[in-house]
Amino acid sequence: MAESQKPTKTGIKVIVVGTGFAGLTAAIECHRKGHDVLVLEKFPELKLLGDIISFGPNSSRLFCRWPGVAEKLEPLSMRADSITLKSWKGETLLTQYWEGEDKEFGIRFDGHRGEFHEVVYNHAKEIGVKIRLGAHVEDYFEDDKQAGVVLDSGERITADVVIAAEGVRSKGRKIVLGFEDAPKPSGYAVYRSWFSADEMAKDPDTKFFTEGGDQHVAWLGPDVHFIAACMKKGKDFSWVCTHKDEADIEESWQLEAPLEDARKVLEGWDPIVQKILDKTPSPLIDWKLVYRDPLPTWISKGRRIALIGDAAHPFLPTSIQGASQAMEDGVTIAVCLREAGSPDKVQEAVAAFEAIRYERVKSAQKTGEQMRDIWHKANFEAAKKNPESMKLRREAWLLGFDAEKYAEDNYARTVEVLRRTGLDDTSEARKLHVPDSTDGYTEFSNRNGSNADKISAEAHAVAGTVIS
């Protein structure tokens, strides 16, 4: 649809809770597809928070469909032509080049979360999406004719459908599950830092990061990995370090940690890593990776409230797919509502959304656990003999996917099944959308026969996330 063409109004009223990438994508796409959308965000103002975030080609194609957005993201993006994988001692295992990926899958965008978010948020406002800041949702409700939220002020706001996109602590999870569930520690946390690369450029041992274009290097060790990147033509530097952490998850999951804590984790590692730490400002951000037990459903009994993004399915960062799958959710539910075409078909659209997305997301989540174990549990002597075993997996079923087109092409047949089985059970309709790889990356897929359809607690330790 050309942006200059105003979409046909559907008459469907949508409330989106949360202005993360899931919520903003849902809001932008609902607006583009003719729905009347209102976004509620609890924070009174939005700030440039965070550090590096990655959007694969499967989600970046949406940025390219929003006029002007890709052009604004490009100068903010890391454009390294490869990633070099090293052992924790500094031995180079493999340099994995991205040549040809843009042609095969499409462009991707990696950069500062806050800077990317500002571009997308401003685009939503520019096209006319209504956003209320300082609107703290305390509860969700629904009946046969409508759904809505209750703000902390007591105000009740109603619509035909509510999309809960406020992360793993979403209040919407209670109405979907029927009870309150608490997040659990995944056993891992991530130290994170983002700072000017000026000092890196001055040191003969680290200036390679700032020369010859953007650079991306990962050091892998026993149950730890450290990834460093320089971007914007040598201007900004970022690193993350995933490590074991058994701390209990309290109300706060984003903590500050002294640089010394990272030094202890990385003691004895490659001298280049030590020099990076020397140039890192303290304190660090210490993100606790949490997971939730797997959800049997992401939609309420009344089929008017849907969880999307981290509210439905948190990802481990090693999947490099959390933000992308959140965006896929957002565009899919917008398409389903448009295909439904009117408020009286909203419940059918919500059920179809879950059926279309559920199996794909389940398999995509699994990739995070698989990649983490490939890196964290590696036999480095074996890895030196077979360095290809350590590379990041880049598979077409995941990265070459177009969620918008898929939903458009498959809505009708999904609804046909739902009308036969009833909206209370989406299990048969879900089977229409089992991806080419049913259990994570293709090399791991279908090894367990019928067990591939099960969602074990262990598999859903995959549902860890850096909460935003």
Side-chain angles (χ1 to χ4, degrees):
M1 181 192 74
E3 202 68 23
S4 59
Q5 295 177 317
K6 289 189 176 181
T8 301
K9 295 294 184 182
T10 63
I12 297 172
K13 293 184 178 180
V14 181
I15 293 171
V16 177
V17 183
T19 58
F21 288 100
L24 287 177
T25 300
I28 290 167
E29 289 296 331
C30 280
H31 179 83
R32 294 180 73 229
K33 289 167 175 56
H35 315 318
D36 181 4
V37 59
L38 170 65
V39 182
L40 303 175
E41 169 56 53
K42 67 181 179 181
F43 290 108
E45 61 178 336
L46 299 181
K47 299 178 181 180
L48 291 178
L49 300 175
D51 44 72
I52 199 161
I53 190 169
S54 296
F55 293 91
N58 52 311
S59 58
S60 293
R61 68 183 77 253
L62 293 176
F63 292 141
C64 296
R65 290 171 186 165
W66 300 343
V69 170
E71 292 79 2
K72 291 174 182 174
L73 293 178
E74 180 58 34
L76 304 175
S77 297
M78 180 177 69
R79 288 293 173 230
D81 64 359
S82 63
I83 183 170
T84 296
L85 304 181
K86 293 176 174 284
S87 76
W88 63 281
K89 295 180 179 179
E91 303 160 301
T92 297
L93 302 173
L94 173 75
T95 297
Q96 183 175 353
Y97 289 91
W98 311 128
E99 184 179 6
E101 272 204 12
D102 286 1
K103 190 172 183 179
E104 183 177 3
F105 303 132
I107 196 170
R108 75 176 192 272
F109 293 99
D110 307 308
H112 191 283
R113 182 197 185 280
E115 293 176 348
F116 279 19
H117 185 265
E118 183 177 48
V119 170
V120 176
Y121 177 78
N122 287 340
H123 176 70
K125 292 198 300 180
E126 287 163 6
I127 65 173
V129 173
K130 295 172 288 185
I131 301 175
R132 282 182 57 179
L133 299 179
H136 193 150
V137 171
E138 285 289 349
D139 202 5
Y140 290 71
F141 62 89
E142 68 179 344
D143 57 34
D144 289 340
K145 296 182 179 180
Q146 64 182 6
V149 296
V150 181
L151 304 187
D152 59 357
S153 64
E155 180 184 358
R156 294 169 67 89
I157 308 173
T158 60
D160 298 302
V161 60
V162 178
I163 301 172
E166 73 266 55
V168 294
R169 294 178 181 272
S170 170
K171 297 286 180 69
R173 291 176 64 96
K174 182 178 179 180
I175 196 168
V176 168
L177 296 174
F179 60 90
E180 290 189 9
D181 65 326
K184 302 175 182 179
S186 68
Y188 290 87
V190 183
Y191 296 126
R192 310 177 73 91
S193 188
W194 182 290
F195 51 94
S196 168
D198 289 351
E199 293 303 313
M200 299 289 293
K202 296 176 184 177
D203 189 324
D205 291 331
T206 59
K207 69 178 182 179
F208 73 92
F209 272 108
T210 66
E211 297 176 339
D214 294 351
Q215 303 292 327
H216 205 189
V217 182
W219 286 263
L220 314 177
D223 246 342
V224 178
H225 70 264
F226 180 93
I227 305 178
C230 195
M231 61 208 77
K232 298 182 190 174
K233 299 179 180 179
K235 178 184 175 184
D236 288 354
F237 194 85
S238 173
W239 63 261
V240 296
C241 175
T242 299
H243 59 97
K244 292 290 289 182
D245 184 285
E246 299 296 342
D248 289 337
I249 301 299
E250 303 293 344
E251 284 303 309
S252 177
W253 53 85
Q254 175 185 335
L255 308 170
E256 288 189 346
L259 182 60
E260 189 59 32
D261 286 0
R263 288 190 185 278
K264 291 176 183 176
V265 168
L266 297 165
E267 185 177 1
W269 281 48
D270 184 357
I272 297 298
V273 172
Q274 307 305 320
K275 288 208 165 191
I276 292 171
L277 296 179
D278 290 343
K279 295 163 179 54
T280 300
S282 189
L284 309 171
I285 298 299
D286 185 17
W287 295 82
K288 306 300 182 184
L289 300 184
V290 306
Y291 70 92
R292 297 278 194 169
D293 288 332
L295 299 188
T297 182
W298 308 337
I299 57 180
S300 61
K301 289 183 178 179
R303 298 325 196 218
R304 290 185 177 275
I305 298 171
L307 306 175
I308 70 170
D310 283 352
H313 46 71
F315 272 66
L316 280 176
T318 40
S319 71
I320 326 176
Q321 274 290 309
S324 291
Q325 293 301 314
M327 290 184 68
E328 285 191 13
D329 285 350
V331 69
T332 299
I333 196 165
V335 169
C336 289
L337 291 169
R338 185 194 62 196
E339 295 299 307
S342 62
D344 63 325
K345 296 287 179 56
V346 159
Q347 291 158 298
E348 196 170 77
V350 170
F353 154 74
E354 184 197 74
I356 289 170
R357 292 291 298 148
Y358 194 89
E359 292 293 331
R360 173 171 168 79
V361 168
K362 185 178 80 172
S363 191
Q365 280 181 304
K366 185 68 175 174
T367 66
E369 182 182 305
Q370 290 162 346
M371 198 67 241
R372 182 193 65 193
D373 288 349
I374 287 168
W375 279 5
H376 281 218
K377 303 185 185 307
N379 178 323
F380 286 99
E381 290 305 312
K384 282 187 281 186
K385 296 176 183 177
N386 181 23
E388 290 288 314
S389 67
M390 305 299 289
K391 70 180 182 180
L392 288 165
R393 273 55 173 174
R394 313 291 289 172
E395 297 187 347
W397 71 271
L398 194 57
L399 302 179
F401 191 76
D402 186 334
E404 182 174 20
K405 186 176 187 304
Y406 186 87
E408 291 170 346
D409 291 347
N410 289 277
Y411 181 81
R413 73 185 186 117
T414 305
V415 166
E416 183 180 353
V417 172
L418 290 169
R419 288 174 180 171
R420 175 168 53 79
T421 62
L423 301 184
D424 289 341
D425 183 5
T426 64
S427 58
E428 186 172 337
R430 289 178 188 176
K431 293 177 183 178
L432 298 174
H433 309 290
V434 175
D436 292 340
S437 184
T438 59
D439 197 29
Y441 292 118
T442 54
E443 65 195 88
F444 301 99
S445 197
N446 299 321
R447 286 185 176 178
N448 298 320
S450 61
N451 289 334
D453 290 331
K454 296 180 180 179
I455 308 175
S456 68
E458 180 181 0
H460 271 273
V462 165
T465 188
V466 174
I467 305 170
S468 56

